[in-house]
């Protein structure tokens, strides 16, 4: 009965969606600017600032951004280390948030987010890269942007309790990494990219949120997300960017279950595995992993999730574009003999990989939900591109789950 309750919650998320190389020397998860930034898989990113006004298949974003009439002059800074190998105690840290949407005219990164699990030691390193798209005043204002990293509950404030500062002594549980502007209102043509290096042994939850910066139609800077060797649950929300998420090769169906118990479940009941992952094995069903990667309507994102080919998982891939037919059909590759694929709806497909035994609850294991809100042409420029060039454009809205493709 415990598993049924847990799995029902996974189904609810799915139904809602359906209805609606090493160290140097990349969330608020709701779609509004209010509320607790650590909650939310049901909000609609269309409420965010600078939402596109059209999702017509094959057409470029028809956003009508506010422009100044001046020539666009982008300025990208260099990556700078702001937290350098700070202790990150794995026994104490169980949740981390990187990036959020604008709140109270502040705290919006509007940029690239990279999260790399490449520290063998229990340390964290954080890099930032500031950018501006505009005149000299916007560039000068970059000095007012800085890292905000606190384990402060609720919505962010400019000056939280110093005791919650995560950059002091050792990293803290439930810490958030945001961009902070020291001024009355964060300029809309500025933003900050994040690159976060984490321990390979981290098994806590990861929440990532980022937005696009399309205030200048001649310089649309998308919020791309890269996560490399994630071994745990989380949520990744973006707009019309690209998300490349590579899961670790030793991914467990239940990342937060102790390794000894995972082994016992895989060989349950007597070491033979004849009843592998039966509900009464040592790992509580509530510890099964869950990862949501999504751009909500009306945003079209390209999303790739790379999973190991030997882990028990269930995956749902969707494109939520309402104007059909279109060319953004989800792809589920490497679904071999030990895979049950349901592709009756070519725009919403599901599969169960490596079902461990008849005693295991069907539909459990590590659950992946990957969704793009639309299928449309998206214009974009890469960070650091020289000024004066025209934006590139490509069809976005493609979602893919594969093994060994990233």
């Amino acid at each position: 009965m415990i598993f049924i309750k847990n799995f029902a919650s996974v189904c609810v998320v799915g139904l809602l969606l359906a209805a609606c190389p090493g160290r140097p020397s990349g969330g608020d998860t709701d779609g509004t600017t209010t509320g607790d930034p650590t909650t939310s898989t049901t909000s609609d990113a269309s409420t965010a600032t600078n939402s596109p006004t059209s999702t017509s298949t094959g057409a470029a974003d028809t956003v009508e951004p506010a422009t100044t009439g001046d020539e666009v002059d982008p300025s990208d800074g260099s990556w700078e280390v702001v937290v350098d190998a700070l202790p990150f105690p794995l026994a104490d840290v169980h949740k981390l948030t990187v990036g959020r949407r604008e709140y109270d005219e502040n705290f919006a990164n509007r940029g690239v987010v990279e999260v790399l699990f490449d520290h063998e030691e229990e340390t964290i390193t954080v890099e930032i890269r500031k950018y501006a798209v505009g005149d000299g005043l916007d560039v000068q204002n970059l000095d007012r942007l800085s890292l905000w990293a606190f384990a402060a509950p609720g919505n962010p404030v400019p000056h939280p309790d110093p005791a919650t500062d995560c950059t002091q002594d050792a990293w803290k549980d439930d810490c958030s990494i945001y961009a902070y502007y020291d001024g009355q209102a964060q300029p809309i043509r500025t933003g900050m990219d994040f690159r976060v290096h984490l321990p390979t042994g981290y098994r806590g939850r990861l929440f990532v949120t980022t937005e696009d910066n399309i205030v200048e139609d001649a310089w649309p800077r998308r919020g791309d997300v890269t996560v490399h060797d994630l071994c745990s649950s989380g949520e990744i929300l973006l707009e019309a960017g690209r998300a490349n998420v590579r899961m670790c090769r030793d991914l467990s169906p239940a990342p937060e279950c102790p390794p000894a118990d995972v082994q016992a479940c895989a060989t349950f009941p007597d070491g033979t595995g004849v009843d592998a992952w039966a509900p009464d094995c040592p790992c509580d069903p509530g510890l099964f992993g869950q990862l949501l990667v999504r751009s909500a309507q009306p945003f079209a994102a390209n999303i790739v999730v790379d999973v190991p080919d030997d882990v028990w998982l269930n995956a749902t891939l969707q494109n939520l574009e309402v104007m059909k037919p279109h060319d953004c059909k989800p792809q589920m590759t490497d679904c071999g003999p030990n895979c049950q694929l349901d592709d009756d709806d070519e725009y919403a497909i599901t599969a169960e990989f490596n079902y461990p035994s008849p005693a295991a609850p069907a539909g459990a294991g590590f659950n992946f939900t990957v969704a793009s809100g639309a299928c449309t042409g998206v214009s974009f420029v890469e960070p650091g591109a020289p000024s004066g060039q025209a934006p590139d454009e490509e069809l976005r809205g493609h979602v893919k789950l594969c093994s060994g493709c990233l």
Side-chain angles (χ1 to χ4, degrees):
M1 294 301 294
I2 295 175
F3 167 76
I4 293 174
K5 180 179 180 180
N6 174 262
F7 181 58
S9 66
V10 177
C11 292
V12 168
V13 173
L15 289 172
L16 286 171
L17 284 168
C20 47
R23 292 175 44 200
S25 297
D28 174 49
T29 58
D30 63 18
T32 68
T33 56
T34 59
D36 186 343
T38 65
T39 60
S40 75
T41 58
T42 60
S43 57
D44 189 345
S46 63
T47 60
T49 305
N50 304 329
S51 298
T53 59
S54 173
T55 59
S56 300
T57 302
D61 285 352
T62 56
V63 183
E64 298 296 339
T67 58
T68 62
D70 299 329
E71 182 180 352
V72 174
D73 186 18
S75 177
D76 285 80
S78 300
W79 285 105
E80 54 181 300
V81 176
V82 290
V83 176
D84 190 9
L86 187 74
F88 189 98
L90 294 177
D92 301 328
V93 182
H94 308 288
K95 180 181 178 181
L96 173 65
T97 298
V98 183
R100 66 158 296 139
R101 304 193 187 282
E102 181 179 312
Y103 172 73
D104 199 22
E105 299 184 284
N106 210 330
F107 303 105
N109 46 296
R110 306 188 190 106
V112 169
V113 176
E114 300 177 13
V115 182
L116 312 175
F117 293 84
D118 57 0
H119 280 198
E120 294 299 327
E121 65 277 15
E122 295 187 16
T123 59
I124 179 174
T125 292
V126 181
E127 301 175 77
I128 62 172
R129 180 175 61 186
K130 306 173 188 177
Y131 75 85
V133 182
D135 57 24
L137 183 59
D138 289 316
V139 175
Q140 293 173 22
N141 284 329
L142 288 178
D143 290 339
R144 293 175 174 264
L145 272 177
S146 63
L147 174 71
W148 189 101
F150 292 87
N155 288 315
V157 296
H159 303 291
D161 182 350
T164 65
D165 188 345
C166 293
T167 68
Q168 300 300 311
D169 302 323
W171 201 260
K172 298 172 178 58
D173 185 32
D174 201 4
C175 186
S176 298
I177 295 174
Y178 301 149
Y180 170 64
Y181 181 75
D182 186 12
Q184 185 173 1
Q186 181 179 353
I188 58 177
R189 293 173 179 82
T190 65
M192 182 184 291
D193 300 328
F194 291 126
R195 181 183 289 155
V196 183
H197 302 260
L198 294 174
T200 57
Y202 181 66
R203 296 297 182 269
R205 292 170 291 163
L206 174 68
F207 294 84
V208 174
T209 300
T210 191
E211 297 174 286
D212 299 338
N213 194 331
I214 50 176
V215 69
E216 294 287 355
D217 55 355
W219 206 256
R221 203 177 190 281
R222 305 293 174 176
D224 295 341
V225 177
T226 299
V227 179
H228 195 269
D229 283 347
L230 175 65
C231 269
S232 57
S233 299
E235 180 177 275
I236 299 171
L237 305 181
L238 69 161
E239 293 186 341
R242 298 165 295 198
N244 291 319
V245 182
R246 184 183 189 270
M247 307 303 293
C248 69
R249 299 301 93 173
D250 58 344
L251 183 67
S252 166
E256 296 181 77
C257 189
D261 289 347
V262 170
Q263 178 63 22
C265 284
T267 60
F268 195 78
D270 52 8
T272 62
V274 64
D275 290 332
W277 291 98
D280 52 344
C281 82
C283 288
D284 188 288
L287 298 179
F288 283 126
Q290 298 183 39
L291 180 68
L292 169 67
V293 188
R294 182 190 69 174
S295 68
Q297 293 175 325
F299 299 105
N302 283 347
I303 305 172
V304 178
V305 179
D306 184 341
V307 299
D309 60 8
D310 58 353
V311 66
W312 176 31
L313 64 87
N314 273 267
T316 298
L317 307 186
Q318 299 175 305
N319 186 288
L320 304 177
E321 172 64 65
V322 296
M323 300 297 291
K324 297 181 176 68
H326 59 74
D327 294 330
C328 300
K329 298 175 183 177
Q331 298 180 55
M332 192 92 71
T333 66
D334 306 307
C335 189
N338 195 17
C339 173
Q340 298 178 0
L341 176 66
D342 182 354
D343 58 357
D344 289 344
D345 182 348
E346 59 185 352
Y347 300 107
I349 62 178
T350 64
E352 183 163 24
F353 291 72
N354 302 306
Y355 183 56
S357 80
F366 202 115
N367 273 261
F368 292 89
T369 301
V370 186
S372 173
C375 176
T376 188
V378 172
S379 60
F380 65 97
V381 293
E382 301 289 359
S387 60
Q389 73 173 41
D392 293 320
E393 183 181 324
E394 67 181 4
L395 180 67
R396 292 190 178 176
H398 300 290
V399 297
K400 178 181 179 180
L401 186 138
C402 56
S403 295
C405 60
L406 292 178

